[in-house]
Amino acid sequence: AEQVSVLLGPGNNIKRSPLCGRNFEYFSEDPLLSGKMAAAIVRGIQSQNVVAVPKHFACNNKETNRMNSDSVLSERALREIYIKGFEICVKESKPKMIMTSYNLVNGVRTSENAELITGILRGEWGYDGMLTSDWWTMAEHYREVKAGNDIRMGIGEQGKLKKAYEEGLITRNEMAVCVKRILEMILWVE
């Protein structure tokens, strides 16, 4: 109705605290229920040629200091609680885009976390869509691109990625992979 091409939702994190400022967006304390509900919503949104963007991948548990909080957890807790709902959503509805979170997971910003993005999401789950950072992330853009995060939301920081390329911190091929995914998403909407 509003002629939008991308809807930044659904929120698919686990409700872990009654004080989380995003609980109104999230579905449940149960990853199975969260994953099934998110998958159904993504299928409905994308059936109208609108890109659905499940968020915030991963472990976004609170609003207070969420740009710098570090979710320290075991691999088992990560896989069985925090990202299980995303896994279900990805496998059952194939969202065209996913938004990473601000926080760190075991000391690494999620938008720069190659283990989460390239290893689990893209590698193990076979996700081939686009990733975007959350707005005004505090991560380094070239590290996001190297990890498989395609778009940096909110702040342009013009020239930073080019400078990283000139300094040999990122390759043209790494950037081209992201550009390809961005163009594929745009063509899907068109």
Side-chain angles (χ1 to χ4, degrees):
E2 297 296 327
Q3 302 302 309
V4 297
S5 299
V6 176
L7 193 146
L8 301 179
N12 196 25
N13 292 102
I14 298 300
K15 291 185 181 182
R16 297 295 289 175
S17 165
L19 302 177
C20 178
R22 288 290 176 104
N23 277 346
F24 69 93
E25 275 188 80
Y26 302 151
F27 300 116
S28 174
E29 303 87 355
D30 182 278
L32 176 63
L33 181 58
S34 293
K36 293 289 189 180
M37 291 178 73
I41 289 172
V42 168
R43 283 192 302 272
I45 292 167
Q46 292 189 166
S47 74
Q48 301 303 304
N49 260 34
V50 175
V51 174
V53 187
K55 60 182 186 176
H56 300 93
F57 187 73
C59 306
N60 185 63
N61 298 323
K62 63 181 188 171
E63 283 299 289
T64 305
N65 194 32
R66 74 182 179 131
M67 288 189 162
N68 291 306
S69 67
D70 189 358
S71 301
V72 178
L73 59 155
S74 69
E75 183 175 355
R76 182 176 180 182
L78 175 73
R79 288 179 180 271
E80 291 181 6
I81 300 170
Y82 293 97
I83 63 173
K84 187 55 142 181
F86 284 97
E87 179 182 11
I88 293 165
C89 180
V90 164
K91 290 180 175 179
E92 292 186 7
S93 67
K94 300 182 181 9
K96 297 295 179 188
M97 190 184 322
I98 294 174
M99 181 185 286
T100 55
S101 54
Y102 290 127
N103 58 289
L104 296 88
V105 173
N106 295 330
V108 181
R109 293 200 174 277
T110 58
S111 62
E112 299 175 348
N113 196 320
E115 183 180 341
L116 277 174
I117 294 171
T118 302
I120 296 172
L121 181 63
R122 294 193 188 282
E124 292 179 27
W125 301 347
Y127 180 70
D128 61 358
M130 208 180 89
L131 261 83
T132 180
S133 70
D134 205 341
W135 295 84
W136 301 289
T137 180
M138 299 181 73
E140 283 291 332
H141 193 183
Y142 80 91
R143 285 190 205 136
E144 291 174 324
V145 170
K146 289 177 87 62
N149 204 326
D150 303 303
I151 289 182
R152 183 176 181 88
M153 286 276 215
I155 48 177
E157 295 185 335
Q158 294 176 346
K160 257 189 128 173
L161 198 57
K162 183 179 179 187
K163 185 177 183 207
Y165 170 72
E166 290 168 350
E167 292 174 358
L169 299 172
I170 190 166
T171 67
R172 185 181 189 286
N173 286 344
E174 288 168 322
M175 293 185 286
V177 169
C178 293
V179 170
K180 180 180 183 285
R181 287 190 290 252
I182 293 166
L183 293 174
E184 287 171 345
M185 191 271 305
I186 291 169
L187 291 173
W188 182 83
V189 172
E190 296 296 315

